Amino acid sequence: MIQAIGLTSDPRKQLPPAVDDVSFEARAGCVTALLGAAGAGKTTALRLMLELQRGRGITYFRGRPLHRIAHPSREVGVLLGDVPGHPARTVRGHLRMLCAAAGVPARRADEVLEVVGLVSLRDERLGTLSRGMDRRLGLACALLADPHTLVLDEPADGLSTREGRWLHGMLRAHTAQGGTVLLTTADPKEAARTADRVVTLDRGRLVADQEAADFSRTRLRPRVAVRTPHASRLAALLAKEARTTRRSVEVVRESGNRLSVYGSTCAAIGETAYRHGILVHQLADEIGDMGPDSAARLSAEQRADEEPLTPARETITAREHERAAAPPVTVPMRHKGSATADDLPAPREASAAPDGKPATPQASTGEPRRADAPTEDYGPSSPATPHAAASHAADPHATAPPLDDSRAADSSPDCLPDLPPPIAVRSAPSPLRPLRYELRRAVGVGTGFLTAAAVLVVSALTAVLLARVGHTPHPRLLVAWPRELPLPPAALGAGLLGAIAFGEEFRHPALAADRGTVPRRLGLLAAKLLVASATALALAVLTIGCDLEVLYLVYGRELAEVPADWLALSASWIGLVVGCAWAGVLAAGLFRSTTAGLAAVVAVPVLLVPLVQKVLEGPSVRTAAGFPLRLRELLLSQWPFGGERYLAAAARVVAQPVGGALALSLAALLAAYLLTTTRSRVR
């Protein structure tokens, strides 16, 4: 169950808030539609509920706000806009990456792909998917962690009629097993056909919160809006005249002094008010919640007809009746991993219990799965009662005839589309979960491999050119580091790979549905630093090896010799490359941009190194001469295998201008990252 209380967005530039004091509920076992035209505040309301946007108000998902849920993706499945994934990643790779992030088995990706009918497209790139396939993938992402609640922003936007019927059948199957569905739509006909409850927004305010049957009866038909201080008297007069003339007129008393009159015209109401001396403040035709272009959608017959039928007398066309009454053709959904709209049952009518409440459909398994499935993250859950679907014909002005036997058989839960099997046991928290996610994220696209290949080629060519020109020290020649460049190609490549590790998260936020943005978790940071370190180490070793081989092939053994102090040089080289990778990761995670991460890497030799050199070379009374000897005296004992030499070498590396600047940069970035992490958690 969802409880939204007082949702209010922050106003911008002296404009009224996009959402102003909106409160509603979405019950378990029901499809709740948030209806409104473009700009009504539907998406803003969802973002406020999911804590993706600043504002006031609070939303409870089964009694808990989202920030109090340990694993939100296991409680709420979200689809906002297109699927947030790298366009070069495959469909299956994207789902497997999300499996690692949610802590569910990797085989879950294949299960949801089979259910949504994307098995044949599992190796396709995200950037090549059509609108309909993207909607299917978005639903697969939302169902991946077997959530109880689905929050979908216009899931049927841009879909064909068949795909829309398939999607609504899937949502109906979710609610039939005790789940909660909240979706937004701008089409009132779609809301009336597919939802059990319709919440209407207009300019950020709550206009109506109705059952689907009441919504179809009161807000889908043309009406006359009347405002008068004598509303009760005018309503009685209109009803009396309708009975006298045997006309079908319905008068609804709304809040204040407003009346909504169905089945009459402005002229007739105005004449009645004039004859009886009733003051009228407003008299206008309204179309209801049919969108800004609703007047154009009204047929000529509807405009000319001054006596529309009441809901009890309305009928659907023979074609719609035949389509609704015909039994569906059942085709197994697991055939080649695809499903069509013909596999879905016809829309179902809402059956009422003797007490007036909707009847509860009984699943073949006995009880709803999602209401009481054992999970370690949900906490104690109250049993949810799924409500039967409220169905409407394609014509929003009509009410379907009584349910016949064939459609009554189709309304059983057994005819609903299959859902992925439940995840009965949740995996325990594991430190390897973020590491698995980062590994799948890094190898899922070819950006890292192409960058590493480009670095090796540029480094080898640079080493050959430097050897040809001469005047380059041998250690710099082996790493292809000209004096004119602030950093060698390998260090720049490692910094770029580190910046991509966090920068791509904000460009294609695979974890956005989990926390609203890329979470600042220390476990995720540690995984990214570890993978970046391994990548940088491999890149550093491969660069040296490629440069040595190329120099040997071109110029012979003379330039391919290993220096005598190779150990200290190797430590300095590896420290530089790994440090650049770490700087890229921290800066990209702090500033949420790949460009900012790479800029921080380049800023170390360009800005910080001259500053450190000026500090070290400035006038001083005392120097740090004899530091290794005093360090050995301080330790009082010799380290095994000559460990004090390595410690002294590490101290000399840090004492270098580049090493000192890099260490200073890493310390500042790490402190800033930890500060923002702590601040976000406190907030």
Side-chain angles (χ1 to χ4, degrees):
M1 181 177 183
I2 303 176
Q3 295 173 302
I5 304 172
L7 298 179
T8 304
S9 61
D10 293 339
R12 293 185 178 181
K13 298 181 179 180
Q14 306 302 325
L15 296 177
V19 174
D20 188 5
D21 195 19
V22 173
S23 301
F24 63 92
E25 290 184 356
R27 297 191 299 268
C30 292
V31 176
T32 304
L34 201 59
L35 175 66
K42 307 184 298 297
T43 303
T44 304
L46 294 189
R47 294 181 64 84
L48 289 172
M49 295 171 60
L50 298 172
E51 302 178 2
L52 306 182
Q53 184 172 331
R54 294 180 179 274
R56 298 185 297 277
I58 191 169
T59 303
Y60 293 100
F61 296 91
R62 293 207 290 179
R64 292 178 296 171
L66 196 64
H67 63 272
R68 295 293 184 184
I69 302 176
H71 300 285
S73 61
R74 298 181 182 176
E75 176 68 25
V76 184
V78 180
L79 174 58
L80 299 178
D82 296 333
V83 176
H86 196 289
R89 199 179 303 276
T90 63
V91 171
R92 187 170 183 264
H94 182 74
L95 290 177
R96 286 175 61 87
M97 180 182 65
L98 295 183
C99 285
V104 299
R107 66 176 182 274
R108 181 71 175 178
D110 298 323
E111 294 174 355
V112 295
L113 281 178
E114 189 172 1
V115 169
V116 301
L118 290 180
V119 173
S120 59
L121 300 178
R122 61 183 178 183
D123 295 326
E124 295 291 327
R125 306 292 178 180
L126 298 186
T128 62
L129 296 180
S130 64
R131 178 67 175 175
M133 296 302 103
D134 185 83
R135 294 288 88 187
R136 289 175 182 250
L137 178 59
L139 184 60
C141 295
L143 294 173
L144 195 64
D146 192 24
H148 175 271
T149 303
L150 294 180
V151 178
L152 314 173
D153 186 18
E154 298 196 9
D157 182 30
L159 299 185
S160 64
T161 304
R162 296 169 63 87
E163 291 175 330
R165 288 165 57 190
W166 171 86
L167 176 63
H168 293 135
M170 291 291 298
L171 301 182
R172 183 61 61 192
H174 183 80
T175 58
Q177 298 189 17
T180 305
V181 174
L182 174 64
L183 59 89
T184 65
T185 179
D187 186 2
K189 298 180 182 180
E190 177 189 355
R193 286 195 304 264
T194 61
D196 300 307
R197 192 169 189 86
V198 181
V199 180
T200 307
L201 296 181
D202 184 19
R203 297 180 182 179
R205 290 184 174 271
L206 183 65
V207 176
D209 187 354
Q210 305 167 293
E211 296 292 338
D214 296 335
F215 169 78
S216 300
R217 180 178 60 85
T218 60
R219 304 193 67 84
L220 277 185
R221 294 181 292 152
R223 64 180 180 265
V224 178
V226 184
R227 291 186 183 274
T228 172
H230 308 286
S232 300
R233 182 185 173 195
L234 181 58
L237 290 172
L238 292 175
K240 180 179 179 180
E241 290 187 358
R243 289 193 300 268
T244 302
T245 59
R246 296 174 179 265
R247 298 174 67 245
S248 300
V249 177
E250 182 181 1
V251 183
V252 179
R253 179 72 182 273
E254 298 187 0
S255 60
N257 57 358
R258 176 186 168 94
L259 296 176
S260 291
V261 183
Y262 300 89
S264 186
T265 62
C266 290
I269 298 173
E271 291 175 0
T272 301
Y274 177 76
R275 287 196 306 267
H276 295 84
I278 297 177
L279 177 65
V280 176
H281 291 163
Q282 180 190 10
L283 192 63
D285 287 317
E286 290 186 355
I287 308 301
D289 302 319
M290 297 181 67
D293 58 342
S294 55
R297 284 186 277 177
L298 287 177
S299 62
E301 292 79 10
Q302 288 172 334
R303 293 199 208 101
D305 188 9
E306 298 181 357
E307 300 182 7
L309 298 177
T310 58
R313 296 168 54 193
E314 292 177 347
T315 58
I316 61 176
T317 62
R319 182 179 179 183
E320 290 296 332
H321 185 280
E322 180 181 357
R323 181 187 305 174
V329 179
T330 304
V331 180
M333 290 191 62
R334 301 179 184 273
H335 177 62
K336 295 185 179 180
S338 61
T340 63
D342 295 335
D343 303 340
L344 304 179
R348 298 173 297 163
E349 292 286 333
S351 56
D355 58 355
K357 297 183 180 179
T360 303
Q362 298 297 329
S364 59
T365 55
E367 295 183 356
R369 169 174 62 89
R370 300 182 185 277
D372 55 359
T375 63
E376 67 178 13
D377 298 321
Y378 290 169
S381 60
S382 58
T385 303
H387 294 261
S391 170
H392 301 275
D395 186 359
H397 306 284
T399 301
L403 196 67
D404 56 16
D405 295 339
S406 61
R407 295 184 62 193
D410 298 337
S411 61
S412 63
D414 295 337
C415 296
L416 294 174
D418 294 334
L419 287 177
I423 304 176
V425 180
R426 302 291 186 183
S427 59
S430 170
L432 297 180
R433 180 188 303 170
L435 182 59
R436 287 196 298 265
Y437 164 78
E438 179 60 21
L439 287 174
R440 291 175 183 173
R441 185 209 61 81
V443 302
V445 295
T447 304
F449 300 103
L450 294 177
T451 302
V455 165
L456 295 178
V457 172
V458 171
S459 180
L461 294 178
T462 304
V464 171
L465 292 178
L466 290 179
R468 180 180 180 84
V469 174
H471 308 291
T472 301
H474 192 238
R476 279 181 170 263
L477 182 62
L478 293 180
V479 298
W481 189 359
R483 295 182 182 275
E484 293 78 10
L485 294 180
L487 288 173
L492 287 174
L496 177 60
L497 291 177
I500 289 175
F502 246 134
E504 290 293 338
E505 295 281 10
F506 297 98
R507 288 187 59 195
H508 311 290
L511 300 179
D514 195 43
R515 288 289 185 183
T517 183
V518 179
R520 297 183 181 277
R521 300 174 184 165
L522 295 182
L524 182 62
L525 175 64
K528 289 186 178 295
L529 290 178
L530 182 59
V531 174
S533 301
T535 304
L537 180 61
L539 190 61
V541 174
L542 289 176
T543 300
I544 294 291
C546 289
D547 292 347
L548 284 174
E549 288 294 332
V550 171
L551 290 175
Y552 173 75
L553 291 175
V554 177
Y555 299 107
R557 189 177 299 276
E558 180 182 358
L559 294 179
E561 294 181 355
V562 178
D565 54 344
W566 64 271
L567 186 58
L569 292 175
S570 299
S572 301
W573 170 242
I574 293 175
L576 175 65
V577 177
V578 174
C580 288
W582 282 18
V585 170
L586 292 172
L590 182 63
F591 300 109
R592 303 184 177 185
S593 171
T594 301
T595 305
L598 186 60
V601 174
V602 178
V604 171
V606 175
L607 299 178
L608 289 181
V609 168
L611 181 62
V612 173
Q613 286 180 338
K614 185 176 293 185
V615 171
L616 294 178
E617 296 176 359
S620 60
V621 178
R622 294 180 177 86
T623 62
F627 173 75
L629 181 60
R630 292 193 297 274
L631 182 63
R632 182 180 302 176
E633 294 176 355
L634 180 63
L635 296 177
L636 298 177
S637 62
Q638 298 291 331
W639 284 39
F641 308 104
E644 70 278 359
R645 293 182 302 170
Y646 303 107
L647 185 60
R652 285 196 300 269
V653 170
V654 176
Q656 294 177 0
V658 176
L662 191 58
L664 180 63
S665 175
L666 289 176
L669 290 173
L670 183 59
Y673 188 92
L674 295 177
L675 178 63
T676 55
T677 303
T678 306
R679 185 179 63 180
S680 63
R681 287 185 177 180
V682 171
R683 180 183 305 166

